[in-house]
Amino acid sequence: DQQVKQNSPSLSVQEGRISILNCDYTNSMFDYFLWYKKYPAEGPTFLISISSIKDKNEDGRFTVFLNKSAKHLSLHIVPSQPGDSAVYFCAASLHNFNKFYFGSGTKLNVKP
Amino acid sequence: DAGVIQSPRHEVTEMGQEVTLRCKPISGHDYLFWYRQTMMRGLELLIYFNNNVPIDDSGMPEDRFSAKMPNASFSTLKIQPSEPRDSAVYFCASSVNPFNSMDTQYFGPGTRLTVL
């Protein structure tokens, strides 16, 4: 049973517009959430994270929003650039239980 | 630092053969993770080690899979016997302490395994 779900396998966005990637989770005890980006033939790289005690974290063009009541996480990329085209993985952790869970990924295509 | 090193980068084998994937973590990282990526299931955590000791192997699919970490700079993931459904990209990652909010995991480039 997947505890972290990314229901959109792919997303296509025009350059300069906003990209919104979504992630849902089932366990209200998750205390930390992360987004990783993966280019073809490379390993995932860390992008941005958020603690469960916050509802927003921003880093340049990337902002992660956390809605705990809805158990929903989203990553906003503004403005989107062709170099953002990659697979994005959402992840969640239970620090006290030393557990990690990844979503299945969303492939973002930013069209020039 | 060279980052996490995995070998081989590609492996093609026949069903029934033994496959060994290798990983060298970043020096000083106490945690090592093995993941598998497939189209159907995305990125799955198979097992992870802390200070060379396996902590959680609940993601290992079955007894055909085994992982070892004989020392702080080397780990192997073995599949014996291999089956076509094991075809996937296998990633190794390392971290100082992934359960510290200031830290993250660093992934290797992966090994693409094809079992015919």
Side-chain angles (χ1 to χ4, degrees):
Chain A
D1 185 29
Q2 277 197 295
Q3 298 208 34
V4 177
K5 297 180 182 179
Q6 294 177 257
N7 293 317
S8 298
S10 64
L11 175 68
S12 188
V13 171
Q14 201 67 39
E15 180 179 5
R17 307 294 288 268
I18 184 172
S19 296
I20 300 177
L21 296 97
N22 294 305
C23 178
D24 296 301
Y25 60 94
T26 57
N27 193 334
S28 59
M29 294 179 65
F30 284 139
D31 46 17
Y32 207 63
F33 302 89
L34 308 95
W35 285 94
Y36 283 81
K37 180 167 75 172
K38 183 187 176 306
Y39 291 118
E42 295 182 12
T45 56
F46 170 73
L47 184 59
I48 192 170
S49 63
I50 187 167
S51 165
S52 61
I53 62 174
K54 296 186 176 182
D55 54 20
K56 177 182 174 181
N57 189 26
E58 193 171 350
D59 184 1
R61 296 185 297 113
F62 302 91
T63 303
V64 57
F65 294 93
L66 177 62
N67 182 335
K68 289 187 288 294
S69 60
K71 297 193 184 71
H72 181 80
L73 188 69
S74 64
L75 174 68
H76 292 211
I77 307 173
V78 182
S80 302
Q81 299 174 353
D84 297 330
S85 297
V87 176
Y88 290 78
F89 290 98
C90 167
S93 68
L94 281 165
H95 284 192
N96 288 340
F97 295 91
N98 290 356
K99 288 284 190 183
F100 264 110
Y101 301 91
F102 275 79
S104 54
T106 296
K107 185 174 183 179
L108 173 66
N109 179 32
V110 180
K111 297 176 286 187
Chain B
D1 199 313
V4 176
I5 299 173
Q6 290 186 248
S7 65
R9 292 295 307 273
H10 302 272
E11 177 80 38
V12 180
T13 189
E14 292 189 346
M15 182 174 63
Q17 296 297 306
E18 177 179 297
V19 174
T20 300
L21 311 182
R22 296 172 176 80
C23 175
K24 175 177 166 51
I26 293 173
S27 177
H29 283 191
D30 294 331
Y31 285 80
L32 184 140
F33 302 80
W34 281 102
Y35 290 89
R36 176 172 70 174
Q37 183 190 13
T38 62
M39 291 293 293
M40 293 296 295
R41 299 176 67 87
L43 200 58
E44 300 174 90
L45 176 62
L46 301 178
I47 184 172
Y48 77 89
F49 296 82
N50 179 23
N51 292 322
N52 313 336
V53 177
I55 302 300
D56 185 348
D57 65 355
S58 58
M60 295 286 260
E62 47 196 278
D63 292 345
R64 298 184 296 107
F65 286 70
S66 62
K68 293 182 179 179
M69 192 165 185
N71 58 63
S73 59
F74 183 66
S75 177
T76 59
L77 178 67
K78 186 175 294 186
I79 308 173
Q80 166 63 19
S82 58
E83 297 182 2
R85 61 193 168 115
D86 301 331
S87 297
V89 181
Y90 290 80
F91 290 101
C92 176
S94 71
S95 177
V96 174
N97 182 357
F99 304 106
N100 178 334
S101 59
M102 301 300 290
D103 194 30
T104 183
Q105 296 180 42
Y106 296 84
F107 283 77
T111 295
R112 180 174 292 278
L113 173 65
T114 302
V115 183
L116 304 174

